[in-house]
Amino acid sequence: MGREDVAVCHWQGDVAEVRLHLDSQELTLRGDIRAAIGRPQMKAVTLCDEGVCVATDAGDLIMEMAALEAGRWQKALLKTPPTLAQKLDVSPDTPAFVLGVVDDPLVQEALDGAVVPDVSGATILLAIVLDQAGLEAASDMAMAEPDKHIWMLYRKGKAAVINGTAVRSHMRGLGFIDSKSSAVSDQLTATRYRLRAG
């Protein structure tokens, strides 16, 4: 759902050309003006003579752009981002089997009512991978269920014992391909894998 552009922006008395990046959580400005505006902070998104005006708790942001591009940005800013449950494709109709302890409140909320106690009843697999033992247990489970996708959830940042590179290397070495990634929370990110056909 990411969207990027370069535009002259007016923000809190400053005017400068910045790089814009919009994702499901926030709009970030990088360059001579630096800001991160969370979606909940955006009170209104309207088209104006200059391009797009975003009313926020901290003042108005004006992004200068041509009418066509302004319309696209307005639509993207107004679009309701998918929930974590939708990103992970879990629901009571498409339940997950979870390996590991889920202690992240956002993951708990996404999985509410969408977890089954047995692998055979799951549409998708989900593993909390915090160390090498967890990674090996998750890949063993995925190998035993080759027709199901598995989401590997692992920690972000320098404190991570197992990071995305380690997960990817391990899974690809076993013949899995990664097909989707998703931000999960401030602490976790996720990548979906499935055993390569043939």
Side-chain angles (χ1 to χ4, degrees):
M1 175 163 196
R3 184 173 186 83
E4 295 191 348
D5 209 339
V6 174
V8 172
C9 290
H10 304 246
W11 175 246
Q12 296 181 337
D14 293 324
V15 180
E17 185 176 89
V18 300
R19 179 166 297 281
L20 301 166
H21 175 78
L22 175 67
D23 61 27
S24 62
Q25 304 296 316
E26 64 186 12
L27 172 65
T28 55
L29 286 67
R30 295 292 176 258
D32 289 339
I33 299 174
R34 299 181 70 81
I37 303 169
R39 284 184 177 268
Q41 295 175 268
M42 299 179 196
K43 302 307 177 191
V45 180
T46 57
L47 297 177
C48 56
D49 290 342
E50 295 87 349
V52 181
C53 181
V54 182
T56 79
D57 295 334
D60 290 348
L61 167 68
I62 297 173
M63 305 184 302
E64 293 184 14
M65 51 187 64
L68 183 60
E69 193 60 20
R72 291 179 181 144
W73 269 92
Q74 181 193 33
K75 184 177 178 181
L77 288 161
L78 290 172
K79 185 176 180 180
T80 302
T83 65
L84 180 56
Q86 289 169 333
K87 288 182 190 178
L88 299 177
D89 196 24
V90 294
S91 71
D93 294 328
T94 55
F97 176 80
V98 179
L99 179 69
V101 177
V102 178
D103 58 7
D104 187 298
L106 294 176
V107 179
Q108 290 172 340
E109 181 182 344
L111 294 175
D112 187 33
V115 176
V116 290
D118 187 77
V119 175
S120 62
T123 302
I124 196 160
L125 309 174
L126 190 143
I128 309 299
V129 178
L130 303 179
D131 54 28
Q132 187 64 34
L135 177 57
E136 290 173 9
S139 61
D140 288 348
M141 178 177 68
M143 291 289 284
E145 297 288 332
D147 295 332
K148 296 176 181 173
H149 284 98
I150 181 168
W151 279 104
M152 309 288 263
L153 279 66
Y154 45 90
R155 294 209 185 280
K156 297 178 180 179
K158 295 178 182 177
V161 175
I162 292 289
N163 61 21
T165 302
V167 172
R168 189 177 308 108
S169 177
H170 179 82
M171 295 300 284
R172 287 183 178 175
L174 293 173
F176 287 82
I177 55 172
D178 43 315
S179 57
K180 191 175 180 182
S181 293
S182 175
V184 173
S185 67
D186 291 341
Q187 301 296 320
L188 297 172
T189 191
T191 305
R192 188 180 68 183
Y193 291 89
R194 188 162 187 174
L195 196 61
R196 191 184 300 273

